[in-house]
């Protein structure tokens, strides 16, 4: 399975997105790394941003 495109909504954090896709919030760094250089910091994501979610 390839990358999944995910549109971030208000109130969502990488921690929660990691839990939703991988079953554990501790995988959020994998999402952050897949979205560099678009993201400068894991806490600086905005509603409407399209994130790439790498396969497990």
């Amino acid at each position: 399975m390839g990358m999944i495109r995910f549109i971030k909504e208000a109130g969502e954090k990488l921690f929660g997105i990691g839990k939703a896709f991988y079953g554990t919030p501790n995988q959020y760094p994998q999402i952050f790394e897949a979205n560099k250089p678009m993201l400068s910091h894991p806490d600086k994501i905005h509603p409407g941003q399209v994130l790439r979610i790498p396969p497990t």
Side-chain angles (χ1 to χ4, degrees), residues 26-38:
N26 297 330
Q27 294 296 333
Y28 81 88
Q30 186 173 343
I31 299 169
F32 177 68
E33 290 296 323
N35 288 279
K36 281 183 172 179
M38 183 179 68

Side-chain angles (χ1 to χ4, degrees), residues 1 5 9-10 19 27 35 44-46 48 51 53-54 56:
M1 184 163 101
R5 288 175 23 123
E9 294 184 10
K19 183 174 182 183
Q27 294 296 333
N35 288 279
K44 295 186 179 182
I45 57 174
H46 305 285
L51 301 174
I53 309 296
T56 57

Side-chain angles (χ1 to χ4, degrees), residues 3 18 20-21 24 29 36 38 40-42 44 46:
M3 290 269 187
F21 280 94
T24 175
K36 281 183 172 179
M38 183 179 68
S40 60
H41 191 275
K44 295 186 179 182
H46 305 285

